[in-house]
């Protein structure tokens, strides 16, 4: 079994874990549900028992979604603006607002699943079974 570094942890493939997360599935087994509701990550996988409660996918998924949706919206506005016939200003509102809202709502769970899968694959934020915790509250030196 290949190891990732000097800590002798088994290697976890990053891309399959992220793809499983993007499918809203467990990054470990690919079968259990990652989310218990729309954006609420389940405490653990119902198939393999992998714990997810210590994930830290806080701000990264919304930033990624803002970047993707912003590029899509700017591209759509530029395409509409450069079309041969001039469009009324209200057309932009009637097209762009639903496009932005719907695409954001679709992409949020996908990106959050990918971030949780990345954290699991890279042993980040408590996903290391033998490593220390990232919490300062657990520090016993105080």
């Amino acid at each position: 079994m290949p190891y990732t570094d000097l800590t002798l942890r088994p290697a976890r493939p990053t891309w399959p874990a992220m793809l499983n997360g993007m499918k809203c599935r467990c990054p470990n087994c690919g079968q259990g549900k990652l989310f218990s509701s729309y954006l609420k990550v389940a405490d653990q996988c119902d198939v393999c028992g992998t714990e997810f409660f210590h994930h830290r996918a806080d701000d990264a998924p919304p930033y990624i979604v803002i970047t993707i949706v912003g590029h899509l919206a700017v591209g759509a506005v530029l395409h509409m603006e450069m079309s041969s016939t001039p469009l009324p200003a209200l057309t932009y509102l009637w097209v762009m607002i639903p496009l932005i809202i719907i695409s954001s709502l679709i992409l949020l769970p996908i990106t959050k699943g990918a971030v949780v899968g990345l954290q699991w694959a890279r042993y980040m934020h408590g996903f290391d079974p033998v490593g220390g915790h990232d919490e300062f509250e657990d520090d016993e030196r105080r």
Side-chain angles (χ1 to χ4, degrees):
M1 174 183 298
Y3 294 102
T4 58
D5 53 18
L6 297 176
T7 61
L8 301 178
R9 297 179 296 195
R12 293 178 178 170
T14 303
W15 285 110
M18 289 180 68
L19 289 174
N20 285 335
M22 291 172 75
K23 295 175 192 173
C24 300
R25 297 288 177 199
C26 171
N28 185 21
C29 67
Q31 296 175 358
K33 291 182 178 180
L34 182 60
F35 295 107
S36 60
S37 62
Y38 175 62
L39 286 177
K40 171 86 169 105
V41 177
D43 288 336
Q44 67 181 13
C45 175
D46 53 358
V47 175
C48 68
T50 302
E51 296 177 338
F52 303 125
F53 63 87
H54 36 60
H55 75 90
R56 294 289 180 126
D58 300 329
D59 293 337
Y63 290 140
I64 294 168
V65 169
I66 288 169
T67 301
I68 293 170
V69 171
H71 281 83
L72 290 174
V74 168
V77 166
L78 286 175
H79 178 71
M80 290 169 59
E81 189 65 30
M82 295 181 147
S83 65
S84 59
T85 59
L87 297 172
L90 284 178
T91 305
Y92 293 105
L93 290 175
W94 290 109
V95 172
M96 296 312 298
I97 290 178
L99 175 74
I100 290 170
I101 291 172
I102 291 170
S103 59
S104 296
L105 291 175
I106 290 171
L107 286 175
L108 267 172
I110 295 170
T111 56
K112 187 167 185 172
V115 169
V116 172
L118 175 69
Q119 290 176 356
W120 176 82
R122 298 283 111 203
Y123 292 96
M124 297 167 63
H125 304 297
F127 283 110
D128 188 359
V130 295
H133 298 288
D134 292 327
E135 303 268 344
F136 290 110
E137 291 84 22
D138 291 340
D139 193 4
E140 295 178 356
R141 292 179 285 171
R142 291 186 201 182

